[in-house]
Amino acid sequence: MNPPPIQAPRNLRTAPTRDRRRKWFNSLFSVVCLLAAGLATVVLVTLLLAILGKGGLWVDWQFLTAGHRENKPLESGIGPAIMGSLMICAICSLFALPVGIATAIFLEEYQPQSRGLQFFHGLVQLNISNLAGVPSIVYGILGVTAFVYMFGAFGKIETGRPPAWEFGARHAWQLKSLGDQWLQIPDADPAQPGIRIEGPRPIRFADGSNSVLNVIAAGAPVPEDVALRNRTVRAGAAASIVRLNSFWYFHLPLHKSILAAGLTLALVILPIIIIASQEALRAVPGSIREAAFGLGATRWQSIRKAVVPAATPGIMTGAILALSRALGEAAPLLAVMGGVLSTSGLTSLMDKSPTLPVTIFRWSHDENVMFENLAAAAIIVLLLLLLLMNAVAILIRYRAEQQRG
């Protein structure tokens, strides 16, 4: 009697089938990823070619230095917008970098022992991870509440009413002479919005020179002398108050100013800087800390002289990439400053200023079709600035790695 044939276990019989199925799924997934990457590349190249074709010829020196001219696209440019974007990024970095790096050091290097501090530590870490995914327009609404209006702590903001608290401002009454020259009467009372001119007063011209106001009767003839006519007004002329800001001018609440916009963008990039700095600190080998402790260094000394220098390339790379995002943000700036396109020049951080993203947004919706070409040209400039910042981040990392090597 022949023995029954020996059968292989079921799992051994199905192993080749599972291997073939796994290889098939791997190949399918690789093809899907390749198609997705190819589609994204095609879309990106198409957009870049369309932008270059539409705005490449508009990028010249005049475009880079001029400001916005209403209904005059041939004379318009992005000079003030570039300066405004760079100024806001500078304000943003001054506030976000110290706070973000310090928070990352606390979360990574100072592990609490008590239960209460451990709960607080975990709560801060959880909220930072969640805030990194919050849409930027939410930060814009927060910036309006916290910085523009200061939660209403300084009273209601009214047009034409001076701020509740200000520093570094002078006030003057302003009026126009019969020679069509703007005149200023110094030492005005901020509580008095305007006056009526009845007699001679000391005045200052727009060029800074001083003189004395000449007042003539309502029916008197206009002086023929040009210099006299330029400082002459009729009795009863109205003068309105103006504020002459110093470069250190500051007030609370911040209103819709470039400082409020910079602080709002600091909130936008703060979680990114913290997470990037944490990853850089986490990548530092533990042997560096142990060596510092072995030499008798305290925890703060080991962090300041060993851990942070080793993590500096990663920290700086994350910071520059975060600032690149701040440079391209438009929604928070629209919420905080509004769609500013032109300005008479920045005299203090309390002024408004156009920025590149907001200028692109406004030009792309303008009724004049030629402004669409200017928007494409502004996009090219913005992309070049972003590429420059990314190149700086790569260069910093490369130089730091070379020095460490």
Side-chain angles (χ1 to χ4, degrees), residues 174-256:
Q174 182 175 262
L175 73 164
K176 185 172 285 190
S177 69
L178 296 178
D180 203 28
Q181 296 289 320
W182 282 107
L183 309 176
Q184 292 179 356
I185 302 175
D187 302 326
D189 183 5
Q192 191 174 358
I195 58 172
R196 293 285 179 180
I197 304 299
E198 300 297 341
R201 286 172 175 265
I203 58 171
R204 181 182 296 114
F205 288 98
D207 59 2
S209 59
N210 299 317
S211 184
V212 177
L213 185 65
N214 181 43
V215 181
I216 61 176
V222 177
E224 296 183 358
D225 182 66
V226 176
L228 180 61
R229 187 166 61 246
N230 287 338
R231 60 183 180 90
T232 300
V233 297
R234 296 190 183 278
S240 58
I241 194 166
V242 293
R243 186 177 63 236
L244 308 175
N245 296 338
S246 305
F247 70 91
W248 62 83
Y249 175 64
F250 181 79
H251 62 67
L252 291 176
L254 299 180
H255 293 185
K256 295 186 175 183

Side-chain angles (χ1 to χ4, degrees), residues 80-90 327 333 353-357 385:
I82 294 176
M83 294 302 299
S85 294
L86 295 179
M87 180 68 72
I88 288 178
C89 281
L327 185 64
L333 301 181
S353 175
T355 59
L356 278 174
L385 289 176

